């Protein structure tokens, strides 16, 4: 599963792109609301629990120069976002969709809430705010179990399903797990409901690429259990790098190795799924030039 222990300190990351990303996230939520935000009624307590903790405790403690709790007549009522000059209610709105919208425009992380499935077997996606999906439509994943969400992922059933189900069941409150995922895409588009993967039956398309427009897309993923609702929260931050940046950082050979690795080992289907048959040779030739 390629997972490592993470730290609560790194659950939410801030960087110099914060304001630009927040603006973009708000535009995407406005233009594609049905694809980026959804919540079943059953997820309301999990959404409220995370909202209350993030705005009331985490952000003003972890990033006190960006976020401050504000009192009115001696009662702490708002979180003040200094960068955007917004006051956000510390008590979550009545409708969880509104809470998710606030979360989506507050930090540059996407959030997916999973609850134990009704039949007691595994976990099911019940709410999300996902402005930057890596080539999938999150709405189509709502109410699916983890194993059905991952149906298009090659070798998932035989290599990942059992260990992931076990791992998710055992996940303890206070533990933070992290992993990374990567893709190569033709441009810097962050809201991508399709196009970063090939699925069974797809033909390998011919595409023209421009090295300066292509991006290495890296997702820094976290998973942790909320203490009260016991929901699992899957969150990720998306980073984009140009290929010249990778080369200048001295990482060209590492990326070539990762691309070659998609064909080798016990999961060769990833070469097709990640579209490496389309861009692989072109990118490798550049990295080695
Ligand atoms: C230990 C935890 C997890 C592991 C090891 C894992 C593994 C993977 C892998 C290997 C892929 C293929 C990615 C690629 O090569 O581009 C993938 C895709 C994906 N994962 Fe996970 N995943 C985990 C947790 C989750 C969770 C909690 C969700 C929440 C909903 C999730 C949602 C997805 C989605 C939507 C895709 C794209 C599937 C598609 O092509 O439609 N994953 N995952």
């Amino acid at each position: 599963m390629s997972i490592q222990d993470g730290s609560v300190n790194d659950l939410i990351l801030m960087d110099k792109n914060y304001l630009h990303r927040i603006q973009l996230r708000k535009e995407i939520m406005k233009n594609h609301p049905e694809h980026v935000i959804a919540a079943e009624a059953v997820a309301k307590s999990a959404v409220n629990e995370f909202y209350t903790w993030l705005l009331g405790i985490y952000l003003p403690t972890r990033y006190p120069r960006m976020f401050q709790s504000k009192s009115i007549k001696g009662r702490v009522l708002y979180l003040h976002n200094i960068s955007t000059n917004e006051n956000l209610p510390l008590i979550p709105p009545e409708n969880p969709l509104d809470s998710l919208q606030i979360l989506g425009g507050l930090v540059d992380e996407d959030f997916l809430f999973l609850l134990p499935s009704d039949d007691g077997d595994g976990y099911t996606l019940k709410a999300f705010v996902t402005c930057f999906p890596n080539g999938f439509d999150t709405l189509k994943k709502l109410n699916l179990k983890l194993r059905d969400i991952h149906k298009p992922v090659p070798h998932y059933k035989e290599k990942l399903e059992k260990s992931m189900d076990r791992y998710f069941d055992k996940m303890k409150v206070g533990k933070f797990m992290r992993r990374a995922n990567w893709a190569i895409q033709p441009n810097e588009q962050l809201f991508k409901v399709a196009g970063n993967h090939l699925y069974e039956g797809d033909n390998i398309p011919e595409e023209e690429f421009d090295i300066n427009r292509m991006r290495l897309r890296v997702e820094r993923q976290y998973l942790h259990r909320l203490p009260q609702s016991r929901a699992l929260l899957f969150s990720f931050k998306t980073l984009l790098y140009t290929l010249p940046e990778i080369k200048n950082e001295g990482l060209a050979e590492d990326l070539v190795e990762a691309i070659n690795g998609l064909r080798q080992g016990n999961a060769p289907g990833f070469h097709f799924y990640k579209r490496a048959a389309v861009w692989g040779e072109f990118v490798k030739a550049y990295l080695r030039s």
Side-chain angles (χ1 to χ4, degrees):
M1 293 193 293
S2 311
I3 55 178
Q4 292 175 300
D5 282 343
S7 154
V8 63
N9 290 333
D10 295 334
L11 181 67
I12 306 292
L13 286 189
M14 294 294 162
D15 57 33
K16 62 178 178 7
N17 299 321
Y18 176 75
L19 271 180
H20 168 70
R21 285 287 182 99
I22 290 301
Q23 195 187 343
L24 181 61
R25 297 176 68 85
K26 287 179 177 170
E27 273 166 33
I28 291 169
M29 288 189 288
K30 191 167 156 229
N31 295 336
H32 309 276
E34 68 286 11
H35 295 285
V36 299
I37 297 183
E40 294 292 350
V42 66
K44 182 173 173 178
S45 53
V47 172
N48 285 358
E49 179 183 359
F50 181 65
Y51 179 103
T52 307
W53 176 76
L54 191 79
L55 276 75
I57 299 173
Y58 187 90
L59 290 177
T61 317
R62 177 74 180 85
Y63 296 107
R65 280 184 297 187
M66 290 181 75
F67 303 100
Q68 284 171 358
S69 310
K70 257 200 162 177
S71 323
I72 294 178
K73 295 189 185 154
R75 285 182 59 207
V76 183
L77 289 178
Y78 291 102
L79 178 74
H80 182 59
N81 183 341
I82 295 167
S83 321
T84 59
N85 198 24
E86 287 169 303
N87 282 333
L88 304 162
L90 288 185
I91 296 174
E94 189 49 38
N95 186 340
L97 297 177
D98 295 333
S99 307
L100 290 167
Q101 176 140 13
I102 293 176
L103 292 173
L106 178 60
V107 290
D108 184 23
E109 263 78 11
D110 287 306
F111 298 111
L112 298 99
F113 294 79
L114 296 116
L115 297 182
S117 307
D118 291 340
D119 61 5
D121 171 26
Y123 284 82
T124 298
L125 181 64
K126 288 291 177 184
F128 61 82
V129 51
T130 319
C131 295
F132 301 154
N134 173 24
F136 56 86
D137 181 353
T138 322
L139 183 61
K140 294 198 176 133
K141 309 284 186 185
L142 189 68
N143 287 314
L144 294 189
K145 288 186 182 187
L146 203 60
R147 69 186 69 130
D148 297 318
I149 288 171
H150 285 99
K151 219 167 221 160
V153 177
H155 317 289
Y156 182 85
K157 190 149 189 60
E158 70 277 16
K159 303 266 187 263
L160 283 169
E161 183 176 309
K162 278 211 176 69
S163 41
M164 264 175 72
D165 282 349
R166 244 193 332 261
Y167 188 87
F168 275 53
D169 269 340
K170 281 202 199 142
M171 187 94 195
K172 291 220 162 57
V173 168
K175 191 173 164 58
F176 290 78
M177 156 246 141
R178 76 186 159 95
R179 70 183 290 273
N181 189 44
W182 65 276
I184 289 186
Q185 59 179 55
N187 54 41
E188 62 181 10
Q189 199 183 328
L190 278 157
F191 170 71
K192 276 202 126 266
V193 289
N196 280 9
H197 297 118
L198 289 177
Y199 296 115
E200 227 177 273
D202 285 355
N203 290 321
I204 295 174
E206 275 192 31
E207 283 173 35
E208 295 240 327
F209 292 109
D210 174 347
I211 282 296
N212 293 311
R213 291 198 69 206
M214 292 181 88
R215 294 291 185 273
L216 170 67
R217 176 180 186 128
V218 179
E219 275 178 358
R220 193 185 141 283
Q221 305 176 334
Y222 258 70
L223 182 75
H224 76 281
R225 190 182 291 283
L226 304 183
Q228 282 157 30
S229 61
R230 309 218 24 102
L232 287 171
L233 180 58
F234 183 61
S235 52
F236 61 89
K237 178 172 169 88
T238 306
L239 304 158
L240 293 180
Y241 303 94
T242 64
L243 296 175
E245 275 171 330
I246 298 298
K247 221 168 152 176
N248 293 340
E249 287 292 318
L251 295 169
E253 260 320 299
D254 294 293
L255 186 51
V256 169
E257 225 174 87
I259 296 168
N260 287 339
L262 296 175
R263 247 192 235 278
Q264 297 153 358
N266 59 4
F270 276 98
H271 188 259
F272 179 82
Y273 176 68
K274 278 186 182 293
R275 299 171 78 93
V278 184
W279 48 256
E281 292 311 314
F282 179 70
V283 170
K284 281 196 303 188
Y286 166 73
L287 292 170
R288 289 191 155 147
S289 63

